[in-house]
Short mmCIF file of all heavy atoms in Angstrom, two decimals:
data_model
loop_
_atom_site.label_atom_id
_atom_site.label_comp_id
_atom_site.label_asym_id
_atom_site.label_seq_id
_atom_site.Cartn_x
_atom_site.Cartn_y
_atom_site.Cartn_z
N MET X 133 0.84 -1.19 0.00
CA MET X 133 0.00 0.00 0.00
C MET X 133 0.88 1.24 0.00
O MET X 133 1.96 1.24 0.57
CB MET X 133 -0.92 -0.02 1.22
CG MET X 133 -2.06 0.97 1.13
SD MET X 133 -3.16 0.87 2.56
CE MET X 133 -2.30 1.96 3.70
N SER X 134 0.37 2.28 -0.64
CA SER X 134 1.13 3.50 -0.79
C SER X 134 0.26 4.70 -0.46
O SER X 134 -0.92 4.71 -0.76
CB SER X 134 1.63 3.60 -2.23
OG SER X 134 2.19 4.87 -2.48
N THR X 135 0.84 5.69 0.19
CA THR X 135 0.11 6.91 0.51
C THR X 135 0.91 8.13 0.07
O THR X 135 2.12 8.18 0.27
CB THR X 135 -0.15 7.01 2.03
OG1 THR X 135 -0.88 5.88 2.45
CG2 THR X 135 -0.95 8.26 2.36
N ALA X 136 0.23 9.06 -0.57
CA ALA X 136 0.89 10.29 -1.00
C ALA X 136 0.01 11.47 -0.63
O ALA X 136 -1.22 11.36 -0.63
CB ALA X 136 1.11 10.26 -2.51
N THR X 137 0.63 12.59 -0.30
CA THR X 137 -0.14 13.77 0.04
C THR X 137 0.21 14.92 -0.91
O THR X 137 1.34 15.05 -1.36
CB THR X 137 0.10 14.24 1.49
OG1 THR X 137 1.49 14.51 1.66
CG2 THR X 137 -0.34 13.17 2.48
N TYR X 138 -0.82 15.71 -1.20
CA TYR X 138 -0.67 16.86 -2.09
C TYR X 138 -1.44 18.02 -1.47
O TYR X 138 -2.20 17.83 -0.52
CB TYR X 138 -1.30 16.56 -3.46
CG TYR X 138 -0.81 15.29 -4.11
CD1 TYR X 138 -1.42 14.06 -3.83
CD2 TYR X 138 0.26 15.30 -5.00
CE1 TYR X 138 -0.97 12.89 -4.42
CE2 TYR X 138 0.72 14.14 -5.60
CZ TYR X 138 0.09 12.93 -5.30
OH TYR X 138 0.54 11.77 -5.88
N THR X 139 -1.27 19.20 -2.02
CA THR X 139 -2.07 20.34 -1.58
C THR X 139 -2.87 20.85 -2.77
O THR X 139 -2.31 21.14 -3.83
CB THR X 139 -1.17 21.47 -1.04
OG1 THR X 139 -0.42 20.97 0.06
CG2 THR X 139 -2.02 22.64 -0.56
N VAL X 140 -4.20 20.92 -2.57
CA VAL X 140 -5.09 21.38 -3.63
C VAL X 140 -5.42 22.85 -3.40
O VAL X 140 -5.75 23.26 -2.28
CB VAL X 140 -6.40 20.56 -3.63
CG1 VAL X 140 -7.36 21.06 -4.71
CG2 VAL X 140 -6.09 19.08 -3.85
N VAL X 141 -5.35 23.63 -4.46
CA VAL X 141 -5.64 25.05 -4.40
C VAL X 141 -7.02 25.33 -4.99
O VAL X 141 -7.37 24.76 -6.03
CB VAL X 141 -4.59 25.86 -5.20
CG1 VAL X 141 -4.90 27.35 -5.17
CG2 VAL X 141 -3.20 25.61 -4.64
N GLY X 142 -7.81 26.17 -4.33
CA GLY X 142 -9.05 26.65 -4.91
C GLY X 142 -10.33 26.08 -4.34
O GLY X 142 -11.41 26.49 -4.73
N MET X 143 -10.22 25.13 -3.41
CA MET X 143 -11.44 24.55 -2.84
C MET X 143 -12.03 25.52 -1.81
O MET X 143 -11.31 26.08 -0.99
CB MET X 143 -11.14 23.21 -2.16
CG MET X 143 -10.65 22.14 -3.10
SD MET X 143 -10.55 20.54 -2.28
CE MET X 143 -9.35 20.90 -0.98
N THR X 144 -13.36 25.68 -1.86
CA THR X 144 -13.98 26.62 -0.94
C THR X 144 -15.11 26.02 -0.10
O THR X 144 -15.55 26.65 0.86
CB THR X 144 -14.58 27.82 -1.71
OG1 THR X 144 -15.50 27.32 -2.69
CG2 THR X 144 -13.49 28.63 -2.38
N CYS X 145 -15.59 24.84 -0.45
CA CYS X 145 -16.71 24.29 0.30
C CYS X 145 -16.76 22.77 0.17
O CYS X 145 -15.95 22.16 -0.52
CB CYS X 145 -18.03 24.90 -0.16
SG CYS X 145 -18.50 24.38 -1.82
N GLY X 146 -17.76 22.18 0.79
CA GLY X 146 -17.88 20.73 0.77
C GLY X 146 -18.10 20.17 -0.62
O GLY X 146 -17.70 19.05 -0.92
N HIS X 147 -18.73 20.96 -1.47
CA HIS X 147 -18.94 20.51 -2.84
C HIS X 147 -17.60 20.33 -3.56
O HIS X 147 -17.40 19.39 -4.32
CB HIS X 147 -19.82 21.50 -3.61
CG HIS X 147 -19.96 21.17 -5.06
ND1 HIS X 147 -19.19 21.75 -6.04
CD2 HIS X 147 -20.75 20.26 -5.69
CE1 HIS X 147 -19.52 21.23 -7.22
NE2 HIS X 147 -20.46 20.33 -7.03
N CYS X 148 -16.69 21.26 -3.31
CA CYS X 148 -15.35 21.18 -3.90
C CYS X 148 -14.66 19.90 -3.43
O CYS X 148 -14.03 19.20 -4.22
CB CYS X 148 -14.51 22.38 -3.47
SG CYS X 148 -15.23 23.99 -3.88
N VAL X 149 -14.78 19.63 -2.14
CA VAL X 149 -14.17 18.43 -1.57
C VAL X 149 -14.74 17.19 -2.25
O VAL X 149 -13.99 16.28 -2.63
CB VAL X 149 -14.43 18.37 -0.04
CG1 VAL X 149 -14.00 17.01 0.52
CG2 VAL X 149 -13.69 19.50 0.66
N ASN X 150 -16.05 17.18 -2.44
CA ASN X 150 -16.69 16.03 -3.09
C ASN X 150 -16.21 15.86 -4.53
O ASN X 150 -15.97 14.73 -4.98
CB ASN X 150 -18.21 16.18 -3.08
CG ASN X 150 -18.81 15.98 -1.71
OD1 ASN X 150 -18.17 15.40 -0.83
ND2 ASN X 150 -20.02 16.46 -1.52
N ALA X 151 -16.07 16.97 -5.24
CA ALA X 151 -15.65 16.92 -6.63
C ALA X 151 -14.24 16.35 -6.75
O ALA X 151 -13.97 15.48 -7.58
CB ALA X 151 -15.72 18.31 -7.26
N VAL X 152 -13.35 16.85 -5.91
CA VAL X 152 -11.96 16.36 -5.92
C VAL X 152 -11.91 14.89 -5.51
O VAL X 152 -11.24 14.08 -6.15
CB VAL X 152 -11.08 17.21 -4.98
CG1 VAL X 152 -9.70 16.56 -4.79
CG2 VAL X 152 -10.93 18.63 -5.53
N THR X 153 -12.65 14.56 -4.47
CA THR X 153 -12.66 13.17 -3.99
C THR X 153 -13.13 12.23 -5.08
O THR X 153 -12.52 11.18 -5.32
CB THR X 153 -13.58 13.04 -2.76
OG1 THR X 153 -13.10 13.90 -1.73
CG2 THR X 153 -13.61 11.60 -2.25
N GLU X 154 -14.20 12.63 -5.76
CA GLU X 154 -14.77 11.79 -6.81
C GLU X 154 -13.79 11.56 -7.96
O GLU X 154 -13.59 10.43 -8.41
CB GLU X 154 -16.05 12.46 -7.33
CG GLU X 154 -16.97 11.54 -8.10
CD GLU X 154 -18.32 12.20 -8.36
OE1 GLU X 154 -18.98 12.60 -7.38
OE2 GLU X 154 -18.66 12.36 -9.53
N GLU X 155 -13.17 12.63 -8.42
CA GLU X 155 -12.25 12.52 -9.55
C GLU X 155 -11.01 11.72 -9.19
O GLU X 155 -10.56 10.86 -9.94
CB GLU X 155 -11.84 13.91 -10.06
CG GLU X 155 -12.93 14.63 -10.82
CD GLU X 155 -13.34 13.91 -12.11
OE1 GLU X 155 -12.54 13.15 -12.66
OE2 GLU X 155 -14.48 14.12 -12.54
N VAL X 156 -10.44 12.00 -8.04
CA VAL X 156 -9.19 11.31 -7.67
C VAL X 156 -9.47 9.84 -7.35
O VAL X 156 -8.65 8.97 -7.65
CB VAL X 156 -8.50 12.02 -6.49
CG1 VAL X 156 -7.25 11.27 -6.05
CG2 VAL X 156 -8.13 13.45 -6.87
N THR X 157 -10.65 9.56 -6.81
CA THR X 157 -11.01 8.17 -6.54
C THR X 157 -11.07 7.36 -7.83
O THR X 157 -10.81 6.15 -7.83
CB THR X 157 -12.38 8.11 -5.82
OG1 THR X 157 -12.28 8.79 -4.58
CG2 THR X 157 -12.79 6.66 -5.54
N SER X 158 -11.37 8.04 -8.94
CA SER X 158 -11.50 7.33 -10.22
C SER X 158 -10.15 7.02 -10.87
O SER X 158 -10.10 6.32 -11.88
CB SER X 158 -12.37 8.15 -11.18
OG SER X 158 -11.66 9.29 -11.64
N VAL X 159 -9.06 7.54 -10.30
CA VAL X 159 -7.73 7.22 -10.85
C VAL X 159 -7.44 5.74 -10.60
O VAL X 159 -7.59 5.26 -9.47
CB VAL X 159 -6.64 8.10 -10.18
CG1 VAL X 159 -5.25 7.65 -10.63
CG2 VAL X 159 -6.87 9.57 -10.50
N PRO X 160 -7.03 5.02 -11.63
CA PRO X 160 -6.75 3.58 -11.47
C PRO X 160 -5.77 3.29 -10.34
O PRO X 160 -4.73 3.94 -10.24
CB PRO X 160 -6.15 3.19 -12.83
CG PRO X 160 -6.73 4.18 -13.78
CD PRO X 160 -6.83 5.46 -13.01
N GLY X 161 -6.12 2.33 -9.50
CA GLY X 161 -5.23 1.92 -8.42
C GLY X 161 -5.49 2.62 -7.11
O GLY X 161 -5.05 2.15 -6.05
N VAL X 162 -6.21 3.73 -7.15
CA VAL X 162 -6.49 4.48 -5.93
C VAL X 162 -7.56 3.76 -5.12
O VAL X 162 -8.60 3.38 -5.64
CB VAL X 162 -6.95 5.92 -6.25
CG1 VAL X 162 -7.45 6.63 -4.99
CG2 VAL X 162 -5.81 6.70 -6.89
N THR X 163 -7.28 3.55 -3.83
CA THR X 163 -8.21 2.82 -2.98
C THR X 163 -8.91 3.72 -1.97
O THR X 163 -9.97 3.37 -1.46
CB THR X 163 -7.48 1.70 -2.22
OG1 THR X 163 -6.39 2.26 -1.51
CG2 THR X 163 -6.98 0.64 -3.19
N ALA X 164 -8.29 4.86 -1.65
CA ALA X 164 -8.92 5.77 -0.70
C ALA X 164 -8.42 7.19 -0.94
O ALA X 164 -7.27 7.40 -1.31
CB ALA X 164 -8.61 5.35 0.73
N VAL X 165 -9.32 8.15 -0.74
CA VAL X 165 -8.98 9.55 -0.92
C VAL X 165 -9.51 10.33 0.27
O VAL X 165 -10.67 10.16 0.66
CB VAL X 165 -9.61 10.12 -2.21
CG1 VAL X 165 -9.36 11.61 -2.34
CG2 VAL X 165 -9.08 9.40 -3.43
N ASP X 166 -8.65 11.17 0.85
CA ASP X 166 -9.11 12.02 1.95
C ASP X 166 -8.74 13.46 1.61
O ASP X 166 -7.61 13.74 1.22
CB ASP X 166 -8.44 11.61 3.26
CG ASP X 166 -8.96 12.44 4.42
OD1 ASP X 166 -10.11 12.22 4.84
OD2 ASP X 166 -8.23 13.34 4.89
N VAL X 167 -9.73 14.35 1.71
CA VAL X 167 -9.49 15.76 1.42
C VAL X 167 -9.83 16.59 2.64
O VAL X 167 -10.91 16.45 3.21
CB VAL X 167 -10.34 16.23 0.22
CG1 VAL X 167 -10.09 17.71 -0.05
CG2 VAL X 167 -10.04 15.41 -1.02
N ASP X 168 -8.90 17.45 3.05
CA ASP X 168 -9.16 18.36 4.16
C ASP X 168 -9.37 19.75 3.59
O ASP X 168 -8.44 20.34 3.02
CB ASP X 168 -7.97 18.35 5.13
CG ASP X 168 -8.24 19.27 6.32
OD1 ASP X 168 -9.16 18.96 7.10
OD2 ASP X 168 -7.56 20.31 6.44
N LEU X 169 -10.59 20.24 3.72
CA LEU X 169 -10.95 21.53 3.11
C LEU X 169 -10.12 22.68 3.67
O LEU X 169 -9.63 23.52 2.92
CB LEU X 169 -12.44 21.80 3.33
CG LEU X 169 -12.97 23.15 2.83
CD1 LEU X 169 -12.73 23.30 1.34
CD2 LEU X 169 -14.44 23.28 3.16
N ALA X 170 -9.96 22.73 4.99
CA ALA X 170 -9.28 23.85 5.61
C ALA X 170 -7.84 24.02 5.14
O ALA X 170 -7.39 25.12 4.85
CB ALA X 170 -9.32 23.70 7.13
N SER X 171 -7.13 22.91 5.04
CA SER X 171 -5.72 22.99 4.66
C SER X 171 -5.50 22.73 3.18
O SER X 171 -4.43 23.02 2.65
CB SER X 171 -4.92 21.96 5.47
OG SER X 171 -5.32 20.65 5.15
N GLY X 172 -6.50 22.15 2.52
CA GLY X 172 -6.35 21.79 1.12
C GLY X 172 -5.58 20.50 0.92
O GLY X 172 -5.26 20.11 -0.18
N ARG X 173 -5.30 19.82 2.02
CA ARG X 173 -4.49 18.61 1.91
C ARG X 173 -5.28 17.45 1.33
O ARG X 173 -6.39 17.14 1.76
CB ARG X 173 -3.92 18.21 3.27
CG ARG X 173 -2.89 17.06 3.14
CD ARG X 173 -2.19 16.81 4.43
NE ARG X 173 -3.13 16.41 5.47
CZ ARG X 173 -2.86 16.42 6.78
NH1 ARG X 173 -1.69 16.83 7.19
NH2 ARG X 173 -3.75 16.04 7.64
N LEU X 174 -4.67 16.84 0.34
CA LEU X 174 -5.25 15.70 -0.35
C LEU X 174 -4.37 14.49 -0.04
O LEU X 174 -3.17 14.50 -0.31
CB LEU X 174 -5.27 15.97 -1.86
CG LEU X 174 -5.48 14.79 -2.80
CD1 LEU X 174 -6.85 14.18 -2.62
CD2 LEU X 174 -5.27 15.24 -4.24
N THR X 175 -4.96 13.48 0.55
CA THR X 175 -4.22 12.26 0.85
C THR X 175 -4.76 11.14 -0.03
O THR X 175 -5.96 10.86 -0.03
CB THR X 175 -4.38 11.88 2.34
OG1 THR X 175 -3.96 12.98 3.15
CG2 THR X 175 -3.52 10.66 2.68
N VAL X 176 -3.87 10.54 -0.79
CA VAL X 176 -4.25 9.50 -1.74
C VAL X 176 -3.62 8.17 -1.31
O VAL X 176 -2.40 8.07 -1.19
CB VAL X 176 -3.79 9.85 -3.16
CG1 VAL X 176 -4.16 8.74 -4.14
CG2 VAL X 176 -4.38 11.19 -3.60
N THR X 177 -4.46 7.18 -1.09
CA THR X 177 -3.99 5.85 -0.75
C THR X 177 -4.22 4.94 -1.94
O THR X 177 -5.28 4.99 -2.58
CB THR X 177 -4.74 5.31 0.48
OG1 THR X 177 -4.59 6.24 1.55
CG2 THR X 177 -4.18 3.95 0.92
N SER X 178 -3.23 4.12 -2.26
CA SER X 178 -3.34 3.26 -3.44
C SER X 178 -2.58 1.96 -3.22
O SER X 178 -1.76 1.85 -2.31
CB SER X 178 -2.79 3.99 -4.66
OG SER X 178 -1.48 4.47 -4.40
N ASP X 179 -2.89 0.99 -4.05
CA ASP X 179 -2.22 -0.30 -3.96
C ASP X 179 -0.74 -0.17 -4.29
O ASP X 179 0.12 -0.74 -3.63
CB ASP X 179 -2.87 -1.31 -4.91
CG ASP X 179 -4.27 -1.68 -4.46
OD1 ASP X 179 -4.52 -1.67 -3.25
OD2 ASP X 179 -5.11 -1.96 -5.33
N ALA X 180 -0.48 0.59 -5.37
CA ALA X 180 0.90 0.85 -5.79
C ALA X 180 1.02 2.35 -6.00
O ALA X 180 0.00 3.03 -6.19
CB ALA X 180 1.18 0.11 -7.09
N PRO X 181 2.22 2.90 -5.92
CA PRO X 181 2.37 4.35 -6.10
C PRO X 181 1.70 4.83 -7.38
O PRO X 181 1.87 4.23 -8.45
CB PRO X 181 3.89 4.53 -6.17
CG PRO X 181 4.43 3.40 -5.37
CD PRO X 181 3.50 2.24 -5.67
N VAL X 182 0.93 5.92 -7.26
CA VAL X 182 0.21 6.49 -8.40
C VAL X 182 1.03 7.63 -8.98
O VAL X 182 1.65 8.40 -8.24
CB VAL X 182 -1.18 6.98 -7.95
CG1 VAL X 182 -1.85 7.79 -9.06
CG2 VAL X 182 -2.05 5.81 -7.56
N ASP X 183 1.04 7.72 -10.29
CA ASP X 183 1.76 8.79 -10.97
C ASP X 183 1.20 10.15 -10.55
O ASP X 183 -0.01 10.38 -10.61
CB ASP X 183 1.56 8.60 -12.48
CG ASP X 183 2.46 9.51 -13.31
OD1 ASP X 183 3.11 10.40 -12.72
OD2 ASP X 183 2.51 9.32 -14.53
N ASP X 184 2.08 11.05 -10.12
CA ASP X 184 1.64 12.38 -9.72
C ASP X 184 0.84 13.06 -10.83
O ASP X 184 -0.10 13.80 -10.56
CB ASP X 184 2.85 13.26 -9.38
CG ASP X 184 3.46 12.89 -8.04
OD1 ASP X 184 2.83 12.13 -7.28
OD2 ASP X 184 4.56 13.39 -7.75
N ASP X 185 1.24 12.81 -12.07
CA ASP X 185 0.55 13.45 -13.19
C ASP X 185 -0.90 12.99 -13.28
O ASP X 185 -1.77 13.75 -13.71
CB ASP X 185 1.27 13.16 -14.50
CG ASP X 185 2.57 13.95 -14.63
OD1 ASP X 185 2.73 14.94 -13.89
OD2 ASP X 185 3.41 13.58 -15.47
N ALA X 186 -1.17 11.74 -12.92
CA ALA X 186 -2.53 11.22 -12.95
C ALA X 186 -3.37 11.92 -11.89
O ALA X 186 -4.53 12.26 -12.11
CB ALA X 186 -2.53 9.71 -12.74
N VAL X 187 -2.77 12.14 -10.73
CA VAL X 187 -3.48 12.84 -9.64
C VAL X 187 -3.71 14.29 -10.05
O VAL X 187 -4.80 14.83 -9.88
CB VAL X 187 -2.67 12.77 -8.33
CG1 VAL X 187 -3.34 13.62 -7.25
CG2 VAL X 187 -2.53 11.32 -7.88
N ARG X 188 -2.68 14.88 -10.62
CA ARG X 188 -2.79 16.28 -11.06
C ARG X 188 -3.91 16.43 -12.10
O ARG X 188 -4.70 17.37 -12.05
CB ARG X 188 -1.45 16.74 -11.67
CG ARG X 188 -1.38 18.21 -11.99
CD ARG X 188 -0.04 18.57 -12.61
NE ARG X 188 1.09 18.20 -11.76
CZ ARG X 188 1.50 18.92 -10.72
NH1 ARG X 188 0.89 20.03 -10.41
NH2 ARG X 188 2.52 18.51 -10.00
N ALA X 189 -3.96 15.49 -13.03
CA ALA X 189 -4.98 15.54 -14.08
C ALA X 189 -6.38 15.38 -13.49
O ALA X 189 -7.32 16.04 -13.94
CB ALA X 189 -4.71 14.45 -15.12
N ALA X 190 -6.52 14.51 -12.51
CA ALA X 190 -7.82 14.29 -11.89
C ALA X 190 -8.28 15.54 -11.13
O ALA X 190 -9.44 15.93 -11.21
CB ALA X 190 -7.75 13.09 -10.94
N VAL X 191 -7.35 16.16 -10.43
CA VAL X 191 -7.68 17.39 -9.68
C VAL X 191 -8.04 18.49 -10.67
O VAL X 191 -9.00 19.24 -10.47
CB VAL X 191 -6.49 17.82 -8.80
CG1 VAL X 191 -6.71 19.22 -8.22
CG2 VAL X 191 -6.28 16.82 -7.66
N ASP X 192 -7.31 18.55 -11.77
CA ASP X 192 -7.60 19.53 -12.81
C ASP X 192 -8.98 19.30 -13.40
O ASP X 192 -9.75 20.23 -13.65
CB ASP X 192 -6.52 19.43 -13.90
CG ASP X 192 -6.69 20.51 -14.97
OD1 ASP X 192 -6.42 21.68 -14.64
OD2 ASP X 192 -7.11 20.18 -16.08
N GLU X 193 -9.31 18.02 -13.61
CA GLU X 193 -10.61 17.65 -14.16
C GLU X 193 -11.74 18.10 -13.24
O GLU X 193 -12.83 18.49 -13.69
CB GLU X 193 -10.67 16.12 -14.35
CG GLU X 193 -11.90 15.60 -15.02
CD GLU X 193 -12.04 16.04 -16.48
OE1 GLU X 193 -11.00 16.27 -17.14
OE2 GLU X 193 -13.17 16.18 -16.93
N ALA X 194 -11.48 18.07 -11.94
CA ALA X 194 -12.48 18.49 -10.96
C ALA X 194 -12.61 20.01 -10.94
O ALA X 194 -13.59 20.55 -10.40
CB ALA X 194 -12.10 17.97 -9.57
N GLY X 195 -11.63 20.72 -11.53
CA GLY X 195 -11.72 22.16 -11.60
C GLY X 195 -10.79 22.89 -10.65
O GLY X 195 -10.92 24.10 -10.44
N TYR X 196 -9.81 22.17 -10.10
CA TYR X 196 -8.87 22.77 -9.15
C TYR X 196 -7.46 22.41 -9.58
O TYR X 196 -7.26 21.73 -10.57
CB TYR X 196 -9.16 22.27 -7.73
CG TYR X 196 -10.61 22.42 -7.41
CD1 TYR X 196 -11.49 21.35 -7.62
CD2 TYR X 196 -11.13 23.64 -7.01
CE1 TYR X 196 -12.85 21.50 -7.41
CE2 TYR X 196 -12.48 23.80 -6.79
CZ TYR X 196 -13.34 22.74 -6.99
OH TYR X 196 -14.68 22.90 -6.80
N GLU X 197 -6.48 22.86 -8.81
CA GLU X 197 -5.12 22.47 -9.17
C GLU X 197 -4.28 22.20 -7.95
O GLU X 197 -4.59 22.63 -6.84
CB GLU X 197 -4.47 23.51 -10.07
CG GLU X 197 -4.38 24.90 -9.52
CD GLU X 197 -3.71 25.84 -10.53
OE1 GLU X 197 -4.29 26.11 -11.59
OE2 GLU X 197 -2.60 26.28 -10.24
N LEU X 198 -3.22 21.45 -8.20
CA LEU X 198 -2.30 21.16 -7.11
C LEU X 198 -1.37 22.35 -6.91
O LEU X 198 -0.95 22.97 -7.88
CB LEU X 198 -1.47 19.91 -7.43
CG LEU X 198 -2.22 18.58 -7.53
CD1 LEU X 198 -1.22 17.45 -7.81
CD2 LEU X 198 -2.98 18.30 -6.24
N ALA X 199 -1.06 22.64 -5.66
CA ALA X 199 -0.11 23.69 -5.37
C ALA X 199 1.22 23.35 -6.04
O ALA X 199 1.65 22.20 -6.03
CB ALA X 199 0.08 23.83 -3.86
N GLY X 200 1.83 24.35 -6.64
CA GLY X 200 3.11 24.13 -7.28
C GLY X 200 3.01 23.72 -8.73
O GLY X 200 4.02 23.63 -9.41
N SER X 201 1.78 23.52 -9.21
CA SER X 201 1.62 23.15 -10.61
C SER X 201 1.67 24.39 -11.48
O SER X 201 1.26 25.47 -11.06
CB SER X 201 0.31 22.39 -10.83
OG SER X 201 -0.78 23.21 -10.48
N ALA X 202 2.16 24.25 -12.67
CA ALA X 202 2.32 25.40 -13.56
C ALA X 202 0.97 25.82 -14.14
O ALA X 202 0.09 25.00 -14.30
CB ALA X 202 3.27 25.06 -14.69
CU1 CU M 398 -17.12 24.35 -3.40
#
C-alpha cells in the first residue's frame, strides 16, 4: 500500500471536496482519498504508487489544481 499527500488550491466548500474526492477516486489503483478543506491537503492511498501526473490531471478535471503546478 502507498500513501501520497498533495495540496489542492481553490477549494472553498464541501462541494469542492466532493468533486476532488470523486475525480481522484477514479484514478486507477487508488483505494482511498481524503481531502481536508481547511488545509487543502489531499491524501491518496493506493495499492501501488500512483503517478503524480494522474493525480494532477484528476484534480484539474475536478476544476482545481495542485499547489506548485504550472
Ligand atoms: Cu465548493
